[in-house]
Amino acid sequence: MTLRYVTTNPGKVREAEEYLDEVAALDYDYPEVQATGLGPIAAHGAREAYRYAGEPVIVDDAGLFIEALDGFPGPYSSYVENTLGVELTGRVAREAVDEDAVARAAFRCVVGYCDGDDFAATPEPVDRGERRGQDLAADDRDTATTDAQVAGGDDLPVKLFTGVVPGRIVAPRGDGGFGYDPVFEHDGTTFAEMDAAEKNAVSHRGRALAKFAGWFAER
Ligand code: ITT
């Protein structure tokens, strides 16, 4: 059975192909819930994508979290890219810190996997939909949801894998990658100056996908 990477973003699929031999893109714009954490968005998206595809799926929800802006744009990164734009968002971030200070930021990514079956909660969280209506702000952290917390949920189980990469916001450089890559520098190089393999080796998505690939290979 093929694994489908459900996304409207071809840049994500290019990166995923580095990790997963048997992944095929499925271009479907699944309905996204509005939440302040990436975990619930990825979990909801994975269920929607699985119901649509009818075979095993992964989705990922990613965002840029700028420290001086209190984590903005975070889960709203897509909206902000389409409205403010990458360059202006970068400029706002750099102006929010003192002249000599570094505009620190992090990219975060949560990969959600759903195949209709159940799985154990550890080492990474499982979302069974039981958190709807609760405060969803802080539940996309790396900490595993405990079995006690997930018991009683009645929705399709989704396995979540988180990846984070620290960096700084700089004036745009490079023309590779996509989205905010030109303004995100990690160890002196922007993501847009890296090729897909170099970006994957350190990126939020690469880290989340590496965890997923290890777990999936055992499954
Ligand atoms: P799908 O939801 O269809 O997968 P999307 O591009 O809307 O595609 P996200 O909601 O996860 O995906 O992305 C949120 C925003 O963050 C969006 O503006 C992306 O361009 C940006 N983004 C995500 N991953 C990125 C990365 O690795 N490098 C740069 N920008 C990224």
Side-chain angles (χ1 to χ4, degrees):
M1 208 180 268
T2 324
L3 175 64
R4 298 284 182 176
Y5 207 123
V6 183
T7 176
T8 59
N9 186 333
K12 290 184 177 181
V13 180
R14 274 198 302 276
E15 293 174 12
E17 281 165 349
E18 296 262 328
Y19 281 95
L20 306 161
D21 299 335
E22 312 244 325
V23 73
L26 179 57
D27 186 344
Y28 170 54
D29 196 7
Y30 53 83
E32 272 192 14
V33 287
Q34 188 133 22
T36 48
L38 301 180
I41 300 174
H44 183 266
R47 284 188 192 99
E48 293 289 336
Y50 173 72
R51 289 188 181 111
Y52 175 81
E55 50 190 350
V57 295
I58 51 174
V59 302
D60 87 59
D61 197 59
L64 178 66
F65 294 72
I66 296 168
E67 191 179 282
L69 304 180
D70 247 2
F72 180 85
Y76 312 107
S77 294
S78 181
Y79 175 76
V80 171
E81 184 185 336
N82 294 331
T83 50
L84 215 52
V86 167
E87 206 175 331
L88 186 51
T89 306
R91 216 178 315 148
V92 171
R94 284 180 284 126
E95 280 177 12
V97 293
D98 294 336
E99 206 154 311
D100 302 326
V102 169
R104 280 202 292 261
F107 265 128
R108 301 178 68 87
C109 175
V110 180
V111 167
Y113 171 82
C114 183
D115 63 10
D117 287 342
D118 205 353
F119 15 66
T122 52
E124 294 276 341
V126 174
D127 187 303
R128 290 184 170 83
E130 80 288 355
R131 289 177 291 179
R132 262 169 312 189
Q134 299 177 23
D135 175 22
L136 301 174
D139 60 356
D140 62 340
R141 304 211 176 105
D142 260 333
T143 50
T145 308
T146 66
D147 285 324
Q149 280 172 291
V150 299
D154 57 1
D155 212 338
L156 285 171
V158 172
K159 188 85 169 160
L160 301 174
F161 302 84
T162 303
V164 185
V165 59
R168 57 194 281 188
I169 303 298
V170 296
R173 296 196 321 261
D175 47 23
F178 64 94
Y180 296 94
D181 283 346
V183 299
F184 187 85
E185 186 189 85
H186 178 81
D187 272 352
T189 309
T190 70
F191 275 4
E193 293 173 318
M194 300 179 185
D195 63 30
E198 287 165 337
K199 180 181 166 187
N200 266 336
V202 293
S203 81
H204 51 314
R205 181 166 300 99
R207 289 173 192 199
L209 284 173
K211 290 181 187 175
F212 167 75
W215 173 83
F216 190 60
E218 298 289 310
R219 191 165 167 76

